[in-house]
Amino acid sequence: QVQVMESGGGLVQAGGSLTLSCAVSGNTISIPGMGWYHQAPGQQREMVATINNGGGINYADSVKGRFTISRDRAMNTLYLQMNNLKPEDTGVYYCNVYYYTDYTSGAQVAWGQGTLVTVSS
C-alpha cells in the first residue's frame, strides 16, 4: 500500500513564502506523475501544479510566476515552493500521486491527508 504524507503548511503573512513537501512511501515500481491540489474553504479542489516523468510541468494560471513544483525522484518526494503568497491561497493543499505497483495492473491514484496553509492579509 502506498502512503502519501504532506508537510510544511502553516500560517504566513501575505507576501511571505512556504515550501510544502510530499513524501511517498510503499511498494511502487513507477510514479509517472505527481501534483499539488488546493481546496479553499467551501470550494472544490483544484489543480495547482503537476509534474511528470518526462519533465512536463503545468501550473494553474493563478500561481504562475509565484509557485514552483519540483521533484526528487530518488527520494520519491515532491515539493511546492510558494512565494508571494496571497490570502486567496489559503486552504488545504493535497498531494496527488499516480503510480504502478506491478507490470500488469493499471495506474493507481493516491492522495495525502493534506496540509493547511493560512495566509493573513
Side-chain angles (χ1 to χ4, degrees), residues 12-18 66-67 81-86 119:
V12 63
Q13 289 187 335
S17 298
L18 281 175
R66 299 189 299 124
F67 291 9
Q81 175 67 44
M82 305 187 294
N83 297 325
N84 190 21
L85 283 160
K86 302 177 180 180
V119 184

Side-chain angles (χ1 to χ4, degrees), residues 2 24-31 76 97 99-102:
V2 170
V24 181
S25 60
N27 182 28
T28 65
I29 62 170
S30 175
I31 301 178
N76 278 350
V97 180
Y99 65 96
Y100 290 90
T101 58
D102 54 57

Side-chain angles (χ1 to χ4, degrees), residues 36-38 46-50 57-69 80-86 88-90 93:
W36 289 100
Y37 289 72
H38 170 233
E46 297 181 337
M47 186 275 290
V48 173
T50 62
I57 292 176
N58 288 304
Y59 291 103
D61 288 342
S62 60
V63 307
K64 285 180 180 177
R66 299 189 299 124
F67 291 9
T68 303
I69 189 172
L80 185 68
Q81 175 67 44
M82 305 187 294
N83 297 325
N84 190 21
L85 283 160
K86 302 177 180 180
E88 51 263 43
D89 296 321
T90 293
Y93 285 76

Side-chain angles (χ1 to χ4, degrees), residues 6 8-11 18 20 39 41 90-93 113-118:
E6 302 96 338
L11 173 64
L18 281 175
L20 305 184
Q39 187 165 18
T90 293
V92 180
Y93 285 76
Q113 294 297 309
T115 185
L116 177 63
V117 172
T118 303

Side-chain angles (χ1 to χ4, degrees), residues 4 6 22 33-37 78 94-98 109-112:
V4 180
E6 302 96 338
C22 169
M34 304 177 75
W36 289 100
Y37 289 72
L78 183 71
Y94 296 91
C95 180
N96 166 276
V97 180
Y98 277 85
V109 178
W111 291 89

